[in-house]
Amino acid sequence: PSKFPDFIHTQKRHPATNCPSADMFWDFASLVPETIHQMTILFSDRGTPYGYRHMNGYSSHTLRFVNADGAGYWVKVHLKTESGIKNFTAQEAARMSAEDPDFATRDLYEHIAGGGEAA
């Protein structure tokens, strides 16, 4: 069964207080062992990525790809950066989120517009 609707529920505000609820998040995380990989990344010391060009990407879901012969294959997509992993320090991330919250999008756009590849 799909667990995505249950996860989305954890991101919503508590119906009685209209405030975010850490209990809803931790209830989901503690009761769904599949979340352990994401939790180790989320709470690691990796820091905030220095834009989209300097981070890896992973599909949240496993997808079924079907070839021209009708054979199906289960696929989990991993996009690995060719620009290298680079992160903000905690101080830089705090400053950037206040001064330029669109930094990652602008950085990627300007890189491509300047002839760079989104790799």
Side-chain angles (χ1 to χ4, degrees):
S2 174
K3 295 183 179 172
F4 188 72
D6 294 332
F7 170 74
I8 291 301
H9 177 74
T10 73
Q11 305 303 297
K12 296 184 181 290
R13 293 175 177 269
H14 191 282
T17 65
N18 198 38
C19 293
S21 171
D23 288 342
M24 292 192 302
F25 171 80
W26 286 112
D27 283 348
F28 179 82
S30 66
L31 295 172
V32 181
E34 301 92 88
T35 65
I36 192 67
H37 180 256
Q38 184 62 40
M39 295 297 106
T40 59
I41 292 172
L42 182 61
F43 293 102
S44 75
D45 60 357
R46 288 184 179 190
T48 302
Y50 188 89
Y52 299 125
R53 295 186 299 125
H54 298 283
M55 61 188 283
N56 294 328
Y58 307 94
S59 60
S60 295
H61 303 287
T62 301
L63 308 168
R64 185 165 189 257
F65 287 8
V66 179
N67 67 17
D69 296 328
Y73 298 90
W74 294 103
V75 177
K76 183 89 169 165
V77 178
H78 291 204
L79 305 172
K80 305 295 271 186
T81 180
E82 293 178 4
S83 300
I85 298 293
K86 182 178 177 183
N87 296 304
F88 286 115
T89 65
Q91 295 80 14
E92 290 169 335
R95 190 183 80 247
M96 189 57 67
S97 68
E99 293 177 7
D100 189 1
D102 296 316
F103 171 79
T105 301
R106 185 177 355 279
D107 173 66
L108 180 60
Y109 175 82
E110 289 174 355
H111 181 73
I112 295 169
E117 294 184 10

mmCIF file of all heavy atoms in Angstrom, residues 23 39 74 93 97 117:
data_model
loop_
_atom_site.group_PDB
_atom_site.id
_atom_site.type_symbol
_atom_site.label_atom_id
_atom_site.label_comp_id
_atom_site.label_asym_id
_atom_site.label_seq_id
_atom_site.Cartn_x
_atom_site.Cartn_y
_atom_site.Cartn_z
ATOM 1 N N ASP A 23 4.973 15.620 16.623
ATOM 2 C CA ASP A 23 4.478 14.273 16.948
ATOM 3 C C ASP A 23 4.003 13.537 15.698
ATOM 4 O O ASP A 23 4.252 12.337 15.554
ATOM 5 C CB ASP A 23 3.328 14.338 17.959
ATOM 6 C CG ASP A 23 3.802 14.705 19.345
ATOM 7 O OD1 ASP A 23 5.018 14.579 19.622
ATOM 8 O OD2 ASP A 23 2.957 15.126 20.154
ATOM 9 N N MET A 39 15.925 9.531 7.018
ATOM 10 C CA MET A 39 16.191 10.168 8.306
ATOM 11 C C MET A 39 17.694 10.365 8.519
ATOM 12 O O MET A 39 18.124 11.389 9.034
ATOM 13 C CB MET A 39 15.630 9.335 9.467
ATOM 14 C CG MET A 39 14.128 9.205 9.497
ATOM 15 S SD MET A 39 13.283 10.772 9.717
ATOM 16 C CE MET A 39 12.651 11.028 8.083
ATOM 17 N N TRP A 74 11.576 -2.864 -12.826
ATOM 18 C CA TRP A 74 11.432 -1.933 -11.705
ATOM 19 C C TRP A 74 12.699 -1.101 -11.610
ATOM 20 O O TRP A 74 13.808 -1.634 -11.586
ATOM 21 C CB TRP A 74 11.162 -2.683 -10.405
ATOM 22 C CG TRP A 74 9.834 -3.371 -10.433
ATOM 23 C CD1 TRP A 74 9.599 -4.699 -10.617
ATOM 24 C CD2 TRP A 74 8.557 -2.757 -10.320
ATOM 25 N NE1 TRP A 74 8.254 -4.950 -10.619
ATOM 26 C CE2 TRP A 74 7.586 -3.776 -10.430
ATOM 27 C CE3 TRP A 74 8.118 -1.442 -10.129
ATOM 28 C CZ2 TRP A 74 6.230 -3.524 -10.358
ATOM 29 C CZ3 TRP A 74 6.760 -1.195 -10.047
ATOM 30 C CH2 TRP A 74 5.833 -2.225 -10.165
ATOM 31 N N ALA A 93 24.082 29.150 5.082
ATOM 32 C CA ALA A 93 22.715 28.708 4.758
ATOM 33 C C ALA A 93 21.682 29.625 5.388
ATOM 34 O O ALA A 93 20.689 29.994 4.744
ATOM 35 C CB ALA A 93 22.507 27.267 5.218
ATOM 36 N N SER A 97 19.195 31.858 3.050
ATOM 37 C CA SER A 97 17.739 31.676 3.104
ATOM 38 C C SER A 97 17.025 32.998 3.353
ATOM 39 O O SER A 97 15.901 33.196 2.903
ATOM 40 C CB SER A 97 17.356 30.651 4.174
ATOM 41 O OG SER A 97 17.623 31.150 5.463
ATOM 42 N N GLU A 117 26.361 22.825 -18.571
ATOM 43 C CA GLU A 117 25.433 21.693 -18.583
ATOM 44 C C GLU A 117 24.866 21.490 -17.186
ATOM 45 O O GLU A 117 25.544 21.725 -16.179
ATOM 46 C CB GLU A 117 26.149 20.424 -19.017
ATOM 47 C CG GLU A 117 26.616 20.472 -20.452
ATOM 48 C CD GLU A 117 27.240 19.160 -20.877
ATOM 49 O OE1 GLU A 117 27.138 18.162 -20.138
ATOM 50 O OE2 GLU A 117 27.843 19.132 -21.960
#
